[in-house]
């Protein structure tokens, strides 16, 4: 179980007045859960779920499943 806060900022310094300004800034707040199950010494099953929020995209889920063996 965990929490995450990230901030990303880009400032477009393009001097061309006809170009679109591509500057942006994002604050992303998220939480996650992860579970690992090992039925054998060589096989591992990982399941996880992450829920993030930022202003342009609102809330979005990110599920994950992986099998290693």
């Amino acid at each position: 179980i965990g929490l995450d806060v990230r901030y990303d900022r880009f400032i477009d310094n393009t001097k061309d007045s006809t170009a679109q300004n591509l500057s942006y800034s994002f604050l992303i707040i998220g939480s996650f859960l992860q579970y690992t199950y090992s039925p054998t010494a060589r096989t591992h099953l990982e399941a996880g779920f992450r829920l993030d929020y930022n202003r342009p995209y609102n809330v979005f889920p990110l599920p994950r499943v992986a099998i290693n063996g």
Side-chain angles (χ1 to χ4, degrees), residues 2-3 8 12 19 24 28 30 36 54 58-59 63 66-68:
L3 296 173
D8 187 18
D12 185 0
Y24 66 85
I28 303 168
T36 303
N54 70 15
N58 292 317
V59 176
I67 299 174
N68 301 317

Side-chain angles (χ1 to χ4, degrees), residues 34-48 66-69:
Q34 183 170 330
Y35 177 74
T36 303
Y37 172 67
S38 300
T40 68
R42 294 179 46 105
T43 304
H44 308 285
L45 173 64
E46 294 182 12
I67 299 174
N68 301 317

Side-chain angles (χ1 to χ4, degrees), residues 6 8 15 22 27 29 38 42 51 54 57-58 61 65:
R6 290 177 280 155
D8 187 18
K15 302 297 182 201
L22 300 175
L27 175 64
I29 301 168
S38 300
R42 294 179 46 105
L51 193 64
N54 70 15
Y57 302 109
N58 292 317
V65 175

